[in-house]
Amino acid sequence: STQSTGSDPFEMNDRVNGAREMIAARLEREDKDLEQDVQAKYDDTQAKLLSFTKASEDDKQDCRLEYCRSLIQLRCHLLTGSPLTGCEQAIAELDNMVDERERLWDSHLLLAEAHYHMGHFTLAEKYIDTLLEWKARDSTALGWKRLIEAHLIGDGAKALFWTIGILGAATLGVALLRHRRQA
């Protein structure tokens, strides 16, 4: 019988790609669920908050993480009676968990996801990089890394095209001014 040692780079790449695809599919499913019934997500989040506030000390961290997951599923929708979005509130909760050194792996993973949904890809990458410092070959963290890098590369290409466009326009303007002066 052959047993995986995890040292095969092709096997690792397959696991990372599989993790990335599972994350992308989950995000897409959550987006569709949110589009179909935002109120149901609000109600779910309120229920998670209530269970968090009533939880025993032993269950409090798990309930707090579930509440944060629920907030993140609200994406960038404003919370009822609050100037914050679901992701912004989740970030505040998770930052407190990190400060209190509670469930650091889960907190960092959820912080990355919240920043990802807000379009803060550099911050999301920072949290994933921290996870990869702790466990370099974690396929979930590497899957997130690939998703985030795809956005960063896309943003970098856009910035490059804008810069080229601005430089091109400036060069054209200078050339036109020189041509008018000579004429």
Side-chain angles (χ1 to χ4, degrees), residues 72-99:
I72 291 169
Q73 288 177 356
L74 285 170
R75 308 289 195 251
C76 293
H77 287 273
L78 287 174
L79 298 174
T80 306
S82 172
L84 299 176
T85 66
C87 284
E88 289 169 331
Q89 182 63 39
I91 290 168
E93 290 287 335
L94 292 162
D95 281 343
N96 286 334
M97 288 186 79
V98 169
D99 290 345

Side-chain angles (χ1 to χ4, degrees), residues 27-45:
L27 297 180
E28 188 175 325
R29 186 177 58 253
E30 288 175 356
D31 287 344
K32 285 180 183 174
D33 290 349
L34 183 61
E35 284 176 21
Q36 290 175 359
D37 196 352
V38 175
Q39 190 58 47
K41 286 292 175 200
Y42 280 119
D43 294 345
D44 182 54
T45 302

Side-chain angles (χ1 to χ4, degrees), residues 11 14 16 28 37 61 87 93-94 96 129 151 154 162 169-170:
E11 181 183 321
D14 288 346
V16 171
E28 188 175 325
D37 196 352
Q61 288 180 16
C87 284
E93 290 287 335
L94 292 162
N96 286 334
D129 286 344
H151 284 282
W162 272 97

Side-chain angles (χ1 to χ4, degrees), residues 142-156:
L142 289 166
W144 270 108
K145 178 93 171 157
R146 288 190 183 170
L147 279 175
I148 293 165
E149 283 175 344
H151 284 282
L152 288 172
I153 289 168
D155 289 351

Side-chain angles (χ1 to χ4, degrees), residues 93-169:
E93 290 287 335
L94 292 162
D95 281 343
N96 286 334
M97 288 186 79
V98 169
D99 290 345
E100 295 165 13
R101 312 221 29 96
E102 294 176 352
R103 304 287 294 273
L104 289 174
W105 182 272
D106 294 320
S107 297
H108 277 75
L109 196 56
L110 289 172
L111 278 162
E113 184 173 347
H115 283 292
Y116 174 89
H117 290 303
M118 294 180 65
H120 303 156
F121 302 116
T122 304
L123 280 171
E125 185 179 42
K126 179 187 104 173
Y127 287 105
I128 294 299
D129 286 344
T130 299
L131 293 176
L132 291 171
E133 285 175 19
W134 296 339
K135 189 175 176 188
R137 296 175 55 88
D138 183 78
S139 57
T140 300
L142 289 166
W144 270 108
K145 178 93 171 157
R146 288 190 183 170
L147 279 175
I148 293 165
E149 283 175 344
H151 284 282
L152 288 172
I153 289 168
D155 289 351
K158 286 179 199 169
L160 180 62
F161 288 132
W162 272 97
T163 303
I164 290 170
I166 291 168
L167 290 174

